[in-house]
Structure formats: structure tokens, C-alpha cells
Coordinates of all heavy atoms in Angstrom, one line a residue:
S9 N 0.8 -1.2 0.0 CA 0.0 0.0 0.0 C 0.9 1.3 0.0 O 0.6 2.2 -0.8 CB -0.9 0.0 1.2 OG -1.7 1.2 1.3
A10 N 1.9 1.3 0.8 CA 2.8 2.4 0.9 C 3.5 2.6 -0.4 O 3.7 3.7 -0.9 CB 3.8 2.2 2.0
L11 N 3.9 1.5 -1.1 CA 4.6 1.6 -2.4 C 3.7 2.2 -3.4 O 4.1 3.1 -4.1 CB 5.0 0.2 -2.8 CG 5.5 0.0 -4.2 CD1 6.9 0.8 -4.4 CD2 5.7 -1.4 -4.6
R12 N 2.4 1.8 -3.5 CA 1.5 2.3 -4.5 C 1.3 3.8 -4.3 O 1.2 4.6 -5.2 CB 0.2 1.5 -4.4 CG 0.3 0.1 -4.8 CD -1.1 -0.6 -4.9 NE -1.7 -0.2 -6.1 CZ -2.9 -0.8 -6.6 NH1 -3.5 -1.7 -5.8 NH2 -3.4 -0.4 -7.7
N13 N 1.2 4.2 -3.0 CA 1.0 5.6 -2.7 C 2.2 6.5 -3.1 O 2.0 7.7 -3.4 CB 0.7 5.8 -1.2 CG -0.7 5.3 -0.8 OD1 -1.6 5.2 -1.7 ND2 -0.8 5.0 0.4
R14 N 3.4 5.9 -3.2 CA 4.6 6.7 -3.6 C 4.8 6.8 -5.1 O 5.6 7.6 -5.5 CB 5.8 6.0 -2.9 CG 6.0 6.4 -1.5 CD 6.7 7.8 -1.3 NE 8.0 7.9 -1.8 CZ 9.1 7.5 -1.2 NH1 9.0 7.0 0.1 NH2 10.3 7.6 -1.7
L15 N 4.2 5.9 -5.8 CA 4.6 5.8 -7.3 C 4.2 7.0 -8.1 O 5.0 7.5 -8.9 CB 4.0 4.5 -7.9 CG 4.5 3.2 -7.3 CD1 3.8 2.0 -7.9 CD2 6.0 3.1 -7.5
I16 N 3.0 7.5 -7.9 CA 2.6 8.6 -8.7 C 3.4 9.9 -8.4 O 3.9 10.6 -9.3 CB 1.1 8.9 -8.6 CG1 0.3 7.7 -9.2 CG2 0.7 10.2 -9.2 CD1 -1.2 7.9 -9.1
P17 N 3.6 10.2 -7.1 CA 4.4 11.4 -6.8 C 5.8 11.3 -7.3 O 6.5 12.3 -7.6 CB 4.4 11.5 -5.3 CG 3.1 10.8 -4.9 CD 2.9 9.7 -5.9
E18 N 6.4 10.1 -7.4 CA 7.7 9.9 -7.9 C 7.8 9.7 -9.4 O 8.9 9.5 -10.0 CB 8.3 8.6 -7.3 CG 8.5 8.7 -5.7 CD 9.6 9.6 -5.3 OE1 10.4 10.0 -6.2 OE2 9.7 9.9 -4.1
G19 N 6.7 9.8 -10.1 CA 6.7 9.7 -11.6 C 6.8 8.3 -12.0 O 7.3 8.0 -13.1
L20 N 6.4 7.3 -11.2 CA 6.6 5.9 -11.5 C 5.3 5.2 -11.7 O 5.2 3.9 -11.5 CB 7.4 5.2 -10.4 CG 8.8 5.8 -10.2 CD1 9.4 5.2 -8.9 CD2 9.7 5.5 -11.4
A21 N 4.2 5.9 -12.0 CA 2.9 5.2 -12.1 C 2.9 4.2 -13.2 O 3.6 4.3 -14.2 CB 1.8 6.3 -12.3
G22 N 2.0 3.2 -13.1 CA 1.9 2.2 -14.1 C 0.8 1.2 -13.8 O 0.0 1.5 -12.8
E23 N 0.8 0.1 -14.5 CA -0.2 -0.9 -14.2 C 0.2 -1.8 -13.0 O 1.4 -2.2 -13.0 CB -0.5 -1.7 -15.4 CG -1.7 -2.6 -15.3 CD -2.2 -3.2 -16.6 OE1 -1.8 -2.6 -17.7 OE2 -2.9 -4.2 -16.6
F24 N -0.7 -2.1 -12.1 CA -0.3 -2.8 -10.9 C -1.2 -4.1 -10.9 O -2.4 -4.1 -10.9 CB -0.7 -2.0 -9.7 CG 0.3 -2.1 -8.5 CD1 1.4 -1.3 -8.5 CD2 0.0 -2.9 -7.5 CE1 2.3 -1.4 -7.4 CE2 0.9 -3.0 -6.4 CZ 2.0 -2.2 -6.4
V25 N -0.5 -5.3 -11.0 CA -1.2 -6.6 -11.1 C -0.8 -7.5 -10.0 O 0.4 -7.7 -9.8 CB -0.9 -7.2 -12.5 CG1 -1.6 -8.6 -12.6 CG2 -1.3 -6.3 -13.6
F26 N -1.8 -8.0 -9.3 CA -1.5 -9.0 -8.3 C -1.5 -10.4 -8.9 O -2.5 -10.8 -9.5 CB -2.5 -8.9 -7.1 CG -2.3 -7.7 -6.2 CD1 -2.8 -6.5 -6.6 CD2 -1.5 -7.8 -5.1 CE1 -2.7 -5.4 -5.8 CE2 -1.3 -6.7 -4.3 CZ -1.9 -5.5 -4.7
R27 N -0.4 -11.2 -8.7 CA -0.4 -12.5 -9.2 C -1.3 -13.4 -8.3 O -1.1 -13.4 -7.0 CB 1.0 -13.1 -9.2 CG 1.0 -14.5 -9.6 CD 2.4 -15.0 -9.9 NE 3.3 -15.0 -8.8 CZ 4.4 -15.8 -8.7 NH1 4.8 -16.5 -9.8 NH2 5.2 -15.7 -7.7
T28 N -2.2 -14.2 -8.8 CA -3.0 -15.1 -8.0 C -2.2 -16.3 -7.7 O -1.3 -16.7 -8.4 CB -4.3 -15.4 -8.7 OG1 -4.0 -16.1 -10.0 CG2 -5.1 -14.2 -9.0
P29 N -2.5 -17.0 -6.6 CA -1.7 -18.3 -6.3 C -1.8 -19.2 -7.4 O -2.8 -19.6 -8.0 CB -2.5 -18.8 -5.0 CG -3.1 -17.6 -4.4 CD -3.5 -16.7 -5.6
G30 N -0.6 -19.7 -7.8 CA -0.4 -20.7 -8.9 C -0.4 -20.0 -10.3 O -0.1 -20.8 -11.2
Q31 N -0.6 -18.8 -10.4 CA -0.5 -18.1 -11.7 C 0.9 -17.9 -12.1 O 1.8 -17.5 -11.3 CB -1.3 -16.8 -11.6 CG -1.4 -16.0 -13.0 CD -2.1 -14.7 -12.8 OE1 -2.2 -14.1 -11.8 NE2 -2.8 -14.3 -13.9
S32 N 1.2 -18.1 -13.4 CA 2.5 -17.9 -13.9 C 2.9 -16.5 -14.1 O 2.1 -15.7 -14.7 CB 2.6 -18.6 -15.3 OG 3.8 -18.2 -15.9
A33 N 4.0 -16.1 -13.4 CA 4.4 -14.7 -13.6 C 4.9 -14.5 -15.0 O 4.8 -13.3 -15.5 CB 5.5 -14.4 -12.6
G34 N 5.4 -15.5 -15.7 CA 5.9 -15.4 -17.0 C 4.8 -15.0 -18.0 O 5.0 -14.2 -18.9
V35 N 3.6 -15.5 -17.8 CA 2.4 -15.2 -18.6 C 2.1 -13.7 -18.5 O 1.8 -13.0 -19.4 CB 1.2 -16.1 -18.3 CG1 0.0 -15.6 -19.0 CG2 1.5 -17.5 -18.7
L36 N 2.1 -13.2 -17.2 CA 1.9 -11.8 -17.0 C 2.9 -11.0 -17.7 O 2.6 -9.9 -18.2 CB 1.8 -11.5 -15.5 CG 0.6 -12.2 -14.7 CD1 0.8 -12.0 -13.2 CD2 -0.7 -11.6 -15.2
A37 N 4.2 -11.4 -17.6 CA 5.3 -10.6 -18.2 C 5.1 -10.6 -19.7 O 5.3 -9.6 -20.4 CB 6.6 -11.2 -17.8
D38 N 4.7 -11.7 -20.3 CA 4.5 -11.8 -21.7 C 3.4 -10.8 -22.2 O 3.5 -10.2 -23.2 CB 4.2 -13.2 -22.2 CG 5.3 -14.2 -22.1 OD1 6.5 -13.7 -22.0 OD2 5.1 -15.4 -22.1
K39 N 2.4 -10.7 -21.4 CA 1.3 -9.8 -21.6 C 1.8 -8.4 -21.6 O 1.5 -7.5 -22.5 CB 0.2 -10.0 -20.6 CG -1.0 -9.0 -20.7 CD -2.0 -9.2 -19.6 CE -3.1 -8.1 -19.7 NZ -4.1 -8.3 -18.6
A40 N 2.6 -8.0 -20.6 CA 3.2 -6.7 -20.5 C 4.1 -6.4 -21.7 O 4.1 -5.3 -22.2 CB 4.0 -6.6 -19.2

């Protein structure tokens, strides 16, 4: 939560995705 609140003021805003249990991070990276 603290990280998300800092991103916009620091110019680091972007898409924030929570990996669900068992979900492949590689698939999310390929999408990105």
C-alpha cells in the first residue's frame, strides 16, 4: 500500500497486477 502511494508522486505510475496463487508470472510478463 505504501509503495503504491509513492509511485505517482515519484513519476513511476503504471499498471499494478497481483499474481494469484499458482498463476505464472511469465504469462503476466509476456502480456506486458
